[in-house]
Amino acid sequence: MLYTDTVEAELLVHKPWFVTTIFALVFAFFFLINPTNSGLGELMRPVIGDPLASGVYGRFAIALMISVLFCLNIVLIGFAPFKVQVPVVWLELLLLFAAFFNAFDLSLPFISQKLPILLSQGLFTTVYVAAISIFFATILAVIGAVAKLSGNGFAFAIASFYTSFFRGLPLLMQLYLIYLGLPQLGIVIDAVPSGVLALTLCYGAYMTEIFRAGIQSIDRGQWEASRSMGFGFGLTMRRIILPQALPVIIPPTGNQFISMLKDSSLVSIVGVWELMFLARSLGQATFKHMEMLIAVALIYWVLSICMEFIQARIERHYARSKMR
């Protein structure tokens, strides 16, 4: 929350019109999908009898029960303080996802057996590819942003063409062009460097625009004052402009880093043994595709949470510096 609201007002989840609307939407959704042939129907068997023979009554009863429980849940959570609401909602959502995954009848022993391979080899390769790509994409973005803001027509033309081209092509196509196209010119690049180069060029183009917008958000007077004091271009950018632009740059850049981490899975198409490649290989060999896909999905999620945590810490650091 940016600011604490000092105006006393009734919570949205306690307003009758909001609760009624949510109740109607939830009821309509579950009534239409007909959950009588699922686990919910079995839970309601004492009330509706045989779920498959309950017909409209069974659908109505199940939808009504879920709607009442859902609305009661959000109303009760609304009475709790913010620090309690967040973990409670997270816990409930995690339980819902666990119930959803449990419906697939997963083989947990198989997942635990293959998990060390995913973590030792697949995770290492994924983090390795993503980390190197992030490093070089950041350097490329700074150079591209400065070029797009310069008065040099040659530099601006190259930077604008670069951002237009690599933002206009799908990442998968860029990977194919680098891995399969460059050998036609006699330039042969291995799978991992090809993946790193494709991710760097693609995300460097997006991040160029982020850095450009962040630099332009700084008032022109900062630049003029620095130059009037005799600061050179590099010193002005390093000590004056970029430190002030970072609070604007960090949030969208963090999103790009998380996206790059997930898009690193595309390098599996050229034979890189990262998480998705191993998940497909192990799943195909044993016909347990869903187990491997869900395990890899959870690993990606944990990595994304770690990056979100780092991003939040950096944002808080610069927020404190702005308040001083």
Side-chain angles (χ1 to χ4, degrees):
M1 183 179 293
L2 182 60
Y3 301 109
T4 302
D5 196 351
T6 57
V7 178
E8 294 291 337
E10 185 181 6
L11 292 175
L12 181 63
V13 294
H14 291 165
K15 293 183 178 180
W17 68 266
F18 180 81
V19 177
T20 303
T21 303
I22 295 298
F23 178 88
L25 292 174
V26 174
F27 179 84
F29 174 77
F30 281 97
F31 185 81
L32 291 175
I33 65 172
N34 189 17
T36 54
N37 57 350
S38 65
L40 294 173
E42 292 299 324
L43 290 175
M44 291 289 290
R45 181 180 285 271
V47 177
I48 64 176
D50 184 6
L52 298 180
S54 60
V56 176
Y57 170 72
R59 295 167 63 179
F60 179 87
I62 294 176
L64 180 63
M65 180 201 67
I66 295 174
S67 303
V68 170
L69 291 177
F70 186 85
C71 291
L72 182 63
N73 179 62
I74 62 173
V75 170
L76 292 177
I77 291 177
F79 287 107
F82 178 83
K83 292 184 178 181
V84 175
Q85 289 177 347
V86 174
V88 168
V89 173
W90 267 74
L91 178 61
E92 291 183 352
L93 292 175
L94 286 173
L95 290 176
L96 286 175
F97 272 101
F100 174 72
F101 291 147
N102 185 59
F104 292 107
D105 192 22
L106 302 176
S107 174
L108 296 181
F110 177 78
I111 295 177
S112 61
Q113 177 187 356
K114 301 301 181 182
L115 193 60
I117 302 176
L118 294 175
L119 295 177
S120 62
Q121 185 168 353
L123 178 62
F124 174 80
T125 305
T126 296
V127 173
Y128 171 76
V129 170
I132 296 179
S133 301
I134 288 171
F135 176 75
F136 287 110
T138 302
I139 296 176
L140 191 59
V142 173
I143 296 173
V146 172
K148 292 201 71 173
L149 294 173
S150 71
N152 188 310
F154 185 74
F156 177 84
I158 294 177
S160 59
F161 179 86
Y162 159 68
T163 55
S164 176
F165 182 80
F166 284 97
R167 288 195 302 167
L169 293 183
L171 176 57
L172 184 59
M173 183 178 293
Q174 296 177 35
L175 183 58
Y176 277 132
L177 289 175
I178 292 172
Y179 187 69
L180 301 177
L182 290 182
Q184 305 299 320
L185 305 177
I187 305 173
V188 179
I189 305 179
D190 292 336
V192 172
S194 296
V196 170
L197 181 59
L199 289 169
T200 299
L201 293 174
C202 180
Y203 279 90
Y206 286 101
M207 291 167 57
T208 292
E209 294 301 317
I210 295 174
F211 275 76
R212 177 194 58 78
I215 292 172
Q216 283 187 316
S217 68
I218 307 304
D219 188 81
R220 182 178 178 180
Q222 298 283 329
W223 175 270
E224 294 176 345
S226 175
R227 298 293 281 167
S228 67
M229 294 174 62
F231 287 9
F233 175 84
L235 185 60
T236 299
M237 289 296 299
R238 189 171 66 255
R239 295 295 183 87
I240 306 298
I241 303 300
L242 285 179
Q244 297 182 78
L246 282 177
V248 179
I249 292 172
I250 287 172
T253 301
N255 289 335
Q256 294 297 314
F257 287 173
I258 294 174
S259 296
M260 183 186 294
L261 175 68
K262 294 180 293 183
D263 283 346
S264 64
S265 62
L266 291 176
V267 302
S268 64
I269 65 171
V270 294
V272 178
W273 285 44
E274 48 77 65
L275 283 171
M276 283 302 299
F277 182 89
L278 287 175
R280 289 204 307 268
S281 301
L282 296 173
Q284 290 172 357
T286 56
F287 298 101
K288 295 185 180 296
H289 301 278
M290 193 56 65
E291 281 83 350
M292 288 294 91
L293 290 177
I294 290 178
V296 168
L298 292 177
I299 293 174
Y300 275 116
W301 188 25
V302 172
L303 290 175
S304 297
I305 290 175
C306 294
M307 296 193 71
E308 290 171 8
F309 177 77
I310 295 173
Q311 175 185 338
R313 292 292 299 269
I314 297 174
E315 288 183 20
R316 284 198 295 268
H317 170 76
Y318 282 100
R320 288 196 300 267
S321 65
K322 290 179 67 176
M323 293 176 62
R324 288 199 293 263

